[in-house]
């Protein structure tokens, strides 16, 4: 998993509430167990028409947002089913930070496990960031995870809260496997002692 420390990127505005995981990645794309390749189907039913042509008005299809790394959204983002494919698709598209007033709990926790920083801010601050994002590629939002701040292109800075353990994992690029591997030496020592004490096992 890539380390997340600081990010300066284009933010895409998506002022919708209750964006559920089926909107993020529709059910027909859940057959894979790979984390890669799902970005092309992110928000599939909003991005493409029935003939698989891009819908020009959808934000991520607009030229200024094709390289977006930050998504500014409405409350209750990631509600619905608990499919982990949703953060997989977001990350594979290239988005590493979502900013919203609130999230569904399972989606929120899945983000951290997949290298995405989900930031919770009050609605009035999200509104400011939404307006900033509407400037397109002319505006870059700055995220500093260590300082726990979001800074608009105009220099307004907002502070956010994040669990210290989740912060540690993101800043060090540690998913569940990475966390386990940090203890590899201790695990090897324990197994060696266990094997010596109980060779018949």
């Amino acid at each position: 998993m890539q380390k997340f420390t600081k990010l300066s990127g284009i933010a895409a505005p998506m002022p919708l509430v209750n964006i559920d995981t089926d909107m993020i990645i529709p059910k027909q794309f859940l057959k894979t167990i790979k984390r890669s390749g799902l970005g092309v189907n992110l928000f599939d039913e909003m991005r493409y028409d029935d003939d698989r042509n891009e819908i020009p008005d959808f934000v991520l299809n607009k030229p200024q947002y094709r390289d977006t790394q930050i998504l500014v959204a409405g409350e209750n983002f990631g509600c619905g089913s608990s499919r982990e494919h949703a953060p997989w698709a977001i990350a594979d598209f290239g988005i590493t930070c979502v900013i919203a007033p609130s999230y569904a709990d399972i989606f929120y926790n899945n983000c951290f496990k997949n290298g995405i920083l989900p930031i919770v801010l009050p609605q009035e601050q999200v509104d400011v960031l939404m307006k900033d994002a509407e400037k397109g590629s002319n505006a870059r939002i700055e995220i500093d995870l260590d300082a726990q701040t979001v800074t608009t292109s105009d220099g307004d800075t907002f502070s956010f809260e994040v669990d210290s353990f989740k912060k540690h994992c993101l800043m060090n690029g540690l998913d569940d496997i990475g966390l386990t591997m940090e203890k590899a030496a201790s695990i090897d020592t324990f197994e060696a002692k266990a094997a010596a004490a109980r060779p018949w096992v």
Side-chain angles (χ1 to χ4, degrees), residues 1-196:
M1 196 168 80
Q2 291 291 319
K3 294 180 180 180
F4 189 116
T5 53
K6 293 182 179 179
L7 171 64
S8 173
I10 297 166
M14 192 172 287
L16 301 173
V17 299
N18 301 320
I19 293 177
D20 64 31
T21 52
D22 191 55
M23 293 168 68
I24 296 170
I25 184 73
K27 59 186 177 299
Q28 62 267 33
F29 303 110
L30 305 185
K31 298 172 185 176
T32 183
I33 57 171
K34 294 180 181 178
R35 298 188 186 195
S36 59
L38 290 170
V40 68
N41 301 118
L42 177 68
F43 298 114
D44 193 87
E45 293 175 0
M46 292 190 281
R47 280 173 72 191
Y48 307 104
D49 63 23
D50 292 341
D51 297 318
R52 304 302 298 167
N53 298 310
E54 288 187 351
I55 299 170
D57 288 341
F58 182 64
V59 63
L60 297 183
N61 290 337
K62 295 179 179 180
Q64 63 268 40
Y65 296 113
R66 287 189 179 274
D67 296 321
T68 190
Q69 295 172 278
I70 303 164
L71 190 65
V72 184
E75 63 183 20
N76 200 29
F77 189 88
C79 58
S81 71
S82 60
R83 63 190 70 171
E84 196 168 9
H85 293 70
W88 291 357
I90 290 171
D92 192 61
F93 183 86
I95 294 170
T96 54
C97 180
V98 181
I99 302 172
S102 62
Y103 299 85
D105 288 343
I106 294 175
F107 174 85
Y108 180 81
N109 289 312
N110 279 341
C111 281
F112 287 100
K113 295 180 179 182
N114 289 282
I116 301 167
L117 173 62
I119 294 175
V120 178
L121 289 174
Q123 184 65 60
E124 58 269 22
Q125 294 180 3
V126 173
D127 290 342
V128 172
L129 291 164
M130 195 76 71
K131 278 192 170 183
D132 199 38
E134 288 169 0
K135 297 175 184 176
S137 55
N138 293 323
R140 299 184 76 84
I141 289 177
E142 308 277 343
I143 312 290
D144 187 329
L145 178 54
D146 188 34
Q148 296 178 205
T149 58
V150 180
T151 304
T152 70
S153 63
D154 295 324
D156 295 321
T157 299
F158 305 123
S159 297
F160 62 89
E161 297 297 320
V162 62
D163 176 82
S164 59
F165 176 71
K166 290 181 172 66
K167 177 179 177 178
H168 166 80
C169 291
L170 269 186
M171 292 192 70
N172 291 279
L174 298 172
D175 56 12
D176 288 346
I177 294 173
L179 283 167
T180 301
M181 294 308 296
E182 279 194 318
K183 307 294 184 184
S186 298
I187 293 169
D188 290 343
T189 300
F190 172 82
E191 289 183 341
K193 288 181 178 178

